Amino acid sequence: MKTDDILISYLKELSAEDIGKGFALFADHMNEIVTENKQRKQYFINVPGESGNGNYIVTFRVLTNDVDDNCECKAYEKYAECKHTVAAALHILIKEFSYHPEALEELIVEDDDDIDELAEWIDINYMEEEPNFIHGKNLPKNNAGKKETVKVIKLDVAATANTEWKKFEMKGGISQNELQNLCGYYWTDTYDAFKLALINFDEKALHWKFYYKENKNLKYSPEIKYDAHETYYYRCTCNHRSRYPMCKHVRTAFDTLGYKNDTNYFLQFKDWTDAKNKLLQPYGLTIADEESKAFKFTISYFGELQMQAP
């Protein structure tokens, strides 16, 4: 067997949990995973810890039909497998053998419903860095020499897609409790996040478009808009039927933006003109005055505008 086939067979034998964690680790730290040394069919891969604190050396010795592996982490010591070995194997297959992440997903996870389509968003993000793959679909090179920020995806959605915008109002940052009231106390989990990808952000219009791949046959497009004040709009192409207005796809989109940033993520786009002028009023100034540039404005943990005078 060829080395890449052996590595793929090796990955198929690992637990679904470690495969899922390994894909996530690879997506978060793909540019930090490096091949320290290679001797014939023996690899020494440096893989960062998930928290970013500390690295682990993963060793692979590719045999005739198997892989002799090892990792320095405690999980491997206890269970003889771990997410670091998965991430290291993905690194070899993609960097050395030019496999496309989506092709690896199909080859490795097969029909496991628990992690079906796990690497969809990894696919989108990874192709920003490496557009040319041998195995799987390619993206055209950016002629301007710049990285592509999004991948345009043609969605295969049902004819009954819901295009009506819903809305809610919120003065401060978006909290979990407020989202819970809108979606019927649905809690998003890690696998929801894996299925979601941001495919376009129009900063001028404050309009976010996402791609959510439930499985091979169900694909949705949740969207979020913000009026730069206190009103949020959302919709999704799913056929959501519930007494709660927000579907899990939109909820996952809000959670993902909040998780990757913070609960005050949207407030950075808010029009604070009136609030700043109110704080500057005791000084006889407005934000139109040159002197106002010496004042420092920040957003508190509770989503309130604060000002520090020079």
Side-chain angles (χ1 to χ4, degrees):
M1 293 177 66
K2 296 180 180 179
T3 299
D4 55 329
D5 292 330
I6 295 171
L7 284 171
I8 290 171
S9 297
Y10 157 79
L11 286 170
K12 287 181 178 180
E13 298 299 319
L14 301 179
S15 68
E17 181 179 3
D18 281 330
I19 291 174
K21 290 180 178 179
F23 264 101
L25 177 62
F26 176 78
D28 290 338
H29 300 282
M30 61 184 78
N31 295 321
E32 302 167 49
I33 302 174
V34 296
T35 303
E36 294 286 354
N37 193 12
K38 178 188 175 184
Q39 301 172 2
R40 288 190 176 182
K41 291 189 176 183
Q42 188 166 5
Y43 298 85
F44 298 86
I45 311 295
N46 191 323
V47 180
E50 190 172 24
S51 63
N53 298 323
N55 287 37
Y56 302 97
I57 297 296
V58 174
T59 306
F60 287 137
R61 187 160 64 93
V62 182
L63 308 176
T64 304
N65 293 304
D66 199 4
V67 175
D68 182 12
D69 62 350
N70 186 66
C71 180
E72 299 174 327
C73 75
K74 293 182 179 180
Y76 185 91
E77 183 180 349
K78 185 175 182 179
Y79 302 108
E81 66 175 72
C82 66
K83 60 189 175 187
H84 307 107
T85 61
V86 174
L90 293 173
H91 167 79
I92 296 170
L93 288 166
I94 290 172
K95 290 291 186 180
E96 183 171 333
F97 296 97
S98 299
Y99 273 84
H100 188 293
E102 184 176 343
L104 287 175
E105 176 197 0
E106 294 175 357
L107 287 169
I108 295 167
V109 303
E110 294 182 332
D111 297 326
D112 191 334
D113 292 335
D114 292 334
I115 54 174
D116 189 30
E117 309 301 333
L118 177 65
E120 183 63 36
W121 73 278
I122 297 175
D123 171 7
I124 294 169
N125 286 281
Y126 189 77
M127 285 192 293
E128 296 176 13
E129 305 291 336
E130 298 289 343
N132 300 310
F133 293 92
I134 295 174
H135 304 275
K137 298 179 292 184
N138 297 333
L139 277 181
K141 291 183 178 180
N142 186 343
N143 295 328
K146 298 179 181 179
K147 294 178 182 178
E148 296 290 345
T149 56
V150 296
K151 175 190 174 186
V152 177
I153 301 172
K154 183 178 180 180
L155 297 175
D156 178 21
V157 297
T160 57
N162 180 16
T163 58
E164 180 185 353
W165 287 98
K166 300 181 178 67
K167 67 178 182 179
F168 64 91
E169 294 184 357
M170 198 167 296
K171 292 184 177 180
I174 297 179
S175 71
Q176 288 291 317
N177 287 337
E178 289 158 334
L179 289 176
Q180 292 291 75
N181 292 332
L182 289 167
C183 69
Y185 301 93
Y186 177 85
W187 289 96
T188 57
D189 57 27
T190 304
Y191 293 118
D192 287 322
F194 287 150
K195 297 174 183 179
L196 182 82
L198 176 64
I199 61 173
N200 188 48
F201 171 44
D202 184 342
E203 186 169 354
K204 185 177 181 180
L206 295 181
H207 186 183
W208 293 259
K209 291 184 179 180
F210 299 84
Y211 172 72
Y212 191 105
K213 195 167 185 179
E214 187 77 50
N215 55 47
K216 293 181 180 179
N217 300 315
L218 297 177
K219 307 169 188 179
Y220 306 113
S221 180
E223 298 178 57
I224 295 172
K225 288 200 301 185
Y226 177 43
D227 74 345
H229 292 284
E230 297 177 0
T231 305
Y232 296 85
Y233 300 86
Y234 62 93
R235 67 181 179 183
C236 183
T237 54
C238 72
N239 190 16
H240 180 62
R241 294 179 180 178
S242 170
R243 64 189 183 93
Y244 297 98
M246 184 180 292
C247 67
K248 73 172 186 177
H249 314 114
V250 170
R251 169 65 189 276
T252 303
F254 273 109
D255 281 349
T256 300
L257 290 176
Y259 175 76
K260 289 185 176 180
N261 302 278
D262 57 48
T263 56
N264 291 333
Y265 168 72
F266 291 97
L267 297 186
Q268 66 183 300
F269 307 107
K270 184 174 181 177
D271 183 356
W272 293 99
T273 302
D274 291 340
K276 288 181 179 180
N277 285 336
K278 186 176 181 180
L279 292 174
L280 288 167
Q281 187 176 8
Y283 298 89
L285 298 172
T286 69
I287 60 172
D289 297 315
E290 186 67 23
E291 294 86 346
S292 69
K293 295 180 180 179
F295 291 77
K296 183 179 179 181
F297 295 94
T298 58
I299 302 172
S300 73
Y301 175 81
F302 299 101
E304 298 173 344
L305 186 69
Q306 295 180 330
M307 185 182 75
Q308 181 179 352

Tab-separated table of all heavy atoms in Angstrom, residues 11 15 26 37 39 42 48 51 93 101 115 140 156 162 201 204 213 215 217 226 234 273 276 290 303:
chain	number	residue	atom	x	y	z
A	11	LEU	N	-6.327	6.339	10.036
A	11	LEU	CA	-7.288	7.289	10.603
A	11	LEU	C	-8.676	6.672	10.763
A	11	LEU	O	-9.385	6.954	11.727
A	11	LEU	CB	-7.366	8.536	9.724
A	11	LEU	CG	-6.167	9.487	9.802
A	11	LEU	CD1	-6.249	10.541	8.707
A	11	LEU	CD2	-6.079	10.141	11.165
A	15	SER	N	-11.091	6.474	16.994
A	15	SER	CA	-12.439	6.746	17.498
A	15	SER	C	-13.018	7.999	16.851
A	15	SER	O	-12.289	8.917	16.467
A	15	SER	CB	-12.405	6.927	19.014
A	15	SER	OG	-11.725	8.120	19.365
A	26	PHE	N	-6.660	20.614	13.846
A	26	PHE	CA	-5.967	20.931	12.595
A	26	PHE	C	-6.482	22.249	12.012
A	26	PHE	O	-5.711	23.083	11.542
A	26	PHE	CB	-6.160	19.807	11.585
A	26	PHE	CG	-5.554	20.110	10.239
A	26	PHE	CD1	-4.195	19.980	10.042
A	26	PHE	CD2	-6.338	20.557	9.189
A	26	PHE	CE1	-3.618	20.289	8.819
A	26	PHE	CE2	-5.781	20.869	7.960
A	26	PHE	CZ	-4.419	20.723	7.778
A	37	ASN	N	11.046	16.577	11.151
A	37	ASN	CA	12.033	15.714	10.508
A	37	ASN	C	11.323	14.583	9.784
A	37	ASN	O	10.225	14.180	10.167
A	37	ASN	CB	12.998	15.133	11.558
A	37	ASN	CG	14.216	14.481	10.917
A	37	ASN	OD1	14.459	14.648	9.723
A	37	ASN	ND2	14.970	13.750	11.709
A	39	GLN	N	12.466	10.832	7.848
A	39	GLN	CA	13.493	9.870	7.446
A	39	GLN	C	12.805	8.699	6.773
A	39	GLN	O	12.162	7.890	7.427
A	39	GLN	CB	14.297	9.408	8.666
A	39	GLN	CG	14.985	10.558	9.411
A	39	GLN	CD	15.602	10.097	10.715
A	39	GLN	OE1	15.553	8.918	11.056
A	39	GLN	NE2	16.196	11.028	11.444
A	42	GLN	N	9.414	7.641	8.079
A	42	GLN	CA	9.258	7.990	9.486
A	42	GLN	C	9.132	9.511	9.607
A	42	GLN	O	9.970	10.260	9.097
A	42	GLN	CB	10.443	7.497	10.320
A	42	GLN	CG	10.230	7.670	11.817
A	42	GLN	CD	11.246	6.890	12.628
A	42	GLN	OE1	12.166	6.300	12.065
A	42	GLN	NE2	11.088	6.874	13.933
A	48	PRO	N	0.813	21.746	18.027
A	48	PRO	CA	0.524	22.560	19.215
A	48	PRO	C	-0.642	22.001	20.008
A	48	PRO	O	-1.526	21.331	19.464
A	48	PRO	CB	0.179	23.929	18.630
A	48	PRO	CG	-0.327	23.633	17.264
A	48	PRO	CD	0.449	22.434	16.778
A	51	SER	N	-4.995	24.534	23.473
A	51	SER	CA	-5.049	25.843	24.131
A	51	SER	C	-3.941	26.768	23.659
A	51	SER	O	-3.936	27.951	23.972
A	51	SER	CB	-4.934	25.665	25.646
A	51	SER	OG	-3.688	25.093	25.981
A	93	LEU	N	-1.076	14.315	4.933
A	93	LEU	CA	-1.899	14.025	3.754
A	93	LEU	C	-2.157	15.273	2.917
A	93	LEU	O	-2.197	15.213	1.676
A	93	LEU	CB	-3.221	13.397	4.189
A	93	LEU	CG	-3.126	11.957	4.708
A	93	LEU	CD1	-4.405	11.560	5.425
A	93	LEU	CD2	-2.837	10.992	3.557
A	101	PRO	N	-9.174	18.832	1.991
A	101	PRO	CA	-9.826	18.475	3.259
A	101	PRO	C	-11.190	17.820	3.085
A	101	PRO	O	-11.552	16.925	3.839
A	101	PRO	CB	-9.935	19.820	3.975
A	101	PRO	CG	-8.813	20.621	3.426
A	101	PRO	CD	-8.686	20.219	1.986
A	115	ILE	N	-20.380	12.585	13.095
A	115	ILE	CA	-19.419	13.569	12.590
A	115	ILE	C	-19.538	13.716	11.085
A	115	ILE	O	-18.583	14.077	10.411
A	115	ILE	CB	-17.978	13.179	12.979
A	115	ILE	CG1	-17.649	11.755	12.533
A	115	ILE	CG2	-17.757	13.322	14.452
A	115	ILE	CD1	-16.193	11.394	12.765
A	140	PRO	N	-9.647	28.597	-8.116
A	140	PRO	CA	-8.752	29.366	-8.972
A	140	PRO	C	-7.850	30.259	-8.136
A	140	PRO	O	-8.242	30.712	-7.072
A	140	PRO	CB	-9.713	30.207	-9.826
A	140	PRO	CG	-10.945	30.300	-8.997
A	140	PRO	CD	-11.046	28.985	-8.269
A	156	ASP	N	-27.871	24.207	-2.247
A	156	ASP	CA	-28.954	23.370	-2.742
A	156	ASP	C	-30.037	23.348	-1.673
A	156	ASP	O	-30.038	22.520	-0.779
A	156	ASP	CB	-28.428	21.960	-3.011
A	156	ASP	CG	-29.521	21.022	-3.497
A	156	ASP	OD1	-30.542	21.528	-3.997
A	156	ASP	OD2	-29.338	19.796	-3.386
A	162	ASN	N	-37.526	29.666	3.657
A	162	ASN	CA	-38.140	30.821	4.292
A	162	ASN	C	-37.253	32.040	4.087
A	162	ASN	O	-36.107	32.059	4.512
A	162	ASN	CB	-38.312	30.536	5.784
A	162	ASN	CG	-38.958	31.701	6.500
A	162	ASN	OD1	-39.533	32.584	5.877
A	162	ASN	ND2	-38.850	31.707	7.813
A	201	PHE	N	-19.243	38.526	4.545
A	201	PHE	CA	-19.558	39.583	5.502
A	201	PHE	C	-19.448	40.923	4.790
A	201	PHE	O	-18.364	41.342	4.379
A	201	PHE	CB	-18.616	39.539	6.701
A	201	PHE	CG	-18.747	40.731	7.623
A	201	PHE	CD1	-19.998	41.209	7.973
A	201	PHE	CD2	-17.631	41.374	8.129
A	201	PHE	CE1	-20.147	42.307	8.813
A	201	PHE	CE2	-17.757	42.471	8.963
A	201	PHE	CZ	-19.021	42.939	9.312
A	204	LYS	N	-20.174	47.124	5.244
A	204	LYS	CA	-20.914	48.358	5.017
A	204	LYS	C	-22.394	48.172	5.326
A	204	LYS	O	-23.028	49.023	5.951
A	204	LYS	CB	-20.736	48.817	3.567
A	204	LYS	CG	-21.383	50.158	3.282
A	204	LYS	CD	-21.113	50.608	1.850
A	204	LYS	CE	-21.751	51.963	1.570
A	204	LYS	NZ	-21.496	52.408	0.166
A	213	LYS	N	-24.168	23.059	6.748
A	213	LYS	CA	-24.380	21.775	6.091
A	213	LYS	C	-24.776	20.742	7.146
A	213	LYS	O	-23.950	20.194	7.864
A	213	LYS	CB	-23.129	21.323	5.354
A	213	LYS	CG	-23.382	20.202	4.355
A	213	LYS	CD	-22.189	20.028	3.442
A	213	LYS	CE	-22.485	18.992	2.361
A	213	LYS	NZ	-21.330	18.821	1.451
A	215	ASN	N	-26.218	17.744	6.695
A	215	ASN	CA	-25.689	16.463	6.224
A	215	ASN	C	-25.517	16.565	4.713
A	215	ASN	O	-25.577	17.656	4.145
A	215	ASN	CB	-26.609	15.290	6.631
A	215	ASN	CG	-28.042	15.500	6.167
A	215	ASN	OD1	-28.286	15.857	5.016
A	215	ASN	ND2	-29.002	15.301	7.070
A	217	ASN	N	-27.390	15.918	2.315
A	217	ASN	CA	-28.559	16.333	1.548
A	217	ASN	C	-29.210	17.622	2.023
A	217	ASN	O	-29.996	18.221	1.293
A	217	ASN	CB	-29.611	15.220	1.559
A	217	ASN	CG	-29.099	13.931	0.948
A	217	ASN	OD1	-28.470	13.967	-0.112
A	217	ASN	ND2	-29.353	12.806	1.603
A	226	TYR	N	-27.616	43.731	11.068
A	226	TYR	CA	-27.620	44.599	12.245
A	226	TYR	C	-27.789	46.043	11.774
A	226	TYR	O	-27.140	46.464	10.813
A	226	TYR	CB	-26.308	44.417	13.003
A	226	TYR	CG	-26.122	45.289	14.217
A	226	TYR	CD1	-27.154	45.498	15.124
A	226	TYR	CD2	-24.895	45.894	14.479
A	226	TYR	CE1	-26.977	46.288	16.245
A	226	TYR	CE2	-24.711	46.687	15.599
A	226	TYR	CZ	-25.749	46.879	16.479
A	226	TYR	OH	-25.569	47.674	17.587
A	234	TYR	N	-32.707	38.461	11.245
A	234	TYR	CA	-32.163	37.141	10.905
A	234	TYR	C	-33.173	36.355	10.078
A	234	TYR	O	-34.378	36.585	10.138
A	234	TYR	CB	-31.805	36.361	12.173
A	234	TYR	CG	-32.971	36.064	13.088
A	234	TYR	CD1	-33.674	34.859	12.986
A	234	TYR	CD2	-33.387	36.977	14.051
A	234	TYR	CE1	-34.749	34.576	13.815
A	234	TYR	CE2	-34.458	36.716	14.878
A	234	TYR	CZ	-35.138	35.508	14.761
A	234	TYR	OH	-36.214	35.234	15.572
A	273	THR	N	-22.638	57.684	17.945
A	273	THR	CA	-22.570	59.145	17.843
A	273	THR	C	-23.303	59.855	18.977
A	273	THR	O	-22.731	60.716	19.668
A	273	THR	CB	-23.138	59.623	16.491
A	273	THR	OG1	-22.401	59.005	15.436
A	273	THR	CG2	-23.034	61.134	16.373
A	276	LYS	N	-21.679	59.221	22.428
A	276	LYS	CA	-20.405	59.927	22.591
A	276	LYS	C	-20.640	61.416	22.817
A	276	LYS	O	-19.986	62.036	23.667
A	276	LYS	CB	-19.528	59.703	21.357
A	276	LYS	CG	-18.963	58.299	21.241
A	276	LYS	CD	-18.083	58.153	19.999
A	276	LYS	CE	-17.503	56.751	19.921
A	276	LYS	NZ	-16.639	56.573	18.719
A	290	GLU	N	-12.261	68.750	16.896
A	290	GLU	CA	-10.930	68.153	16.837
A	290	GLU	C	-10.451	67.728	18.225
A	290	GLU	O	-9.776	66.712	18.392
A	290	GLU	CB	-9.943	69.164	16.230
A	290	GLU	CG	-8.548	68.618	15.993
A	290	GLU	CD	-8.501	67.553	14.915
A	290	GLU	OE1	-9.422	67.525	14.061
A	290	GLU	OE2	-7.557	66.742	14.925
A	303	GLY	N	-21.537	46.052	27.852
A	303	GLY	CA	-21.986	46.641	26.613
A	303	GLY	C	-22.320	48.113	26.696
A	303	GLY	O	-23.048	48.633	25.861
